[in-house]
Amino acid sequence: MRLTPAQLEQFNREGYLFLEGLFTPEEAGLLKEEAENIYKLDREEVWREKSGIARTAFAAHTYNEAHRRLGSHPRLIEPIQQILDGQVYMHQYKINAKAPFDGEVWQWHQDYGTWARDDEMPEPRAMNISVFLDDVTAANGPLLFIPGSHKKGVVDAGHDLKTTSYPLWTLDRDTVSKLADEGGCVAPTGPAGSVLLFSSLLVHASPPNISPLGRIIVYLSLCHVDNHIRAFNRKEWIAHRDFTPIEALDDNCLTEMLTETA
Ligand code: SIN
Ligand code: MN
């Protein structure tokens, strides 16, 4: 799958691109069912909110077949190879739950801020592509973006070890307010199966989910193979050390599983 020049132009300008309904409801349904099974596992890769409910499952592409396939899906890998101009490896794979009522905040941050400071990734030649496994609405804790903020480089940040169970380099309120004065603040929403890709420098956050509706999103953080991390400070299932280029599978790799299990 290739992005059009207009899509590339929009990505460069805004720092993100929303592709509504790129996966079918059936494909998203399969991945959601598997995500819910993963959250029930007692594994160190499944991090929990203070309430005990699942927050994030890391590295699920290494222990779940449907997520293994999503991790090499051509609809995700090819556009990122196109943007990053070459072969990519998986720096991080996570399934974020944002559970009904208890899903907690993600503070304002840039992903590359953490990858540079904690993992010594040389350049922001890496980015996220995410798939909505639930309908994402204004109600259930959508991602918030500051359009254009990816053009500011790495912004000053402090290491937040307190707010949630997951340590993150976060931006202070003044910085975020100034960026939003210029770029505004948006919350891309859409049905399950939609895809949101965004620059690793884009400033983003998400609010707690007080609604009764869950909001599962899978994130592939893909990095150009030449730009692999240099420091191994974090667990290998959080910041991967396997820099093998990803070979995209066939487009029907998930639908094949649906017919196998039918
Ligand atoms: C992230 O910024 O890495 C996750 C945010 C979210 O899932 O809401
Ligand atoms: Mn992030």
Side-chain angles (χ1 to χ4, degrees), residues 94 96 98 106 109 111 141 143 204-206 215 217 219:
K94 60 184 191 288
N96 283 359
K98 195 75 76 164
W106 287 81
H109 67 283
D111 282 6
L143 280 162
H204 63 283
S206 65
R215 190 231 66 174
I217 302 180
Y219 298 83

Side-chain angles (χ1 to χ4, degrees), residues 95 197 205 214 231 257:
I95 314 175
L197 57 95
M257 275 189 88

Side-chain angles (χ1 to χ4, degrees), residues 103-125:
E104 291 177 13
V105 65
W106 287 81
Q107 298 284 6
W108 287 103
H109 67 283
Q110 296 172 301
D111 282 6
Y112 182 67
T114 297
W115 302 342
R117 293 173 180 107
D118 288 354
D119 307 326
E120 290 179 25
M121 185 185 282
E123 287 173 39
R125 209 174 170 197

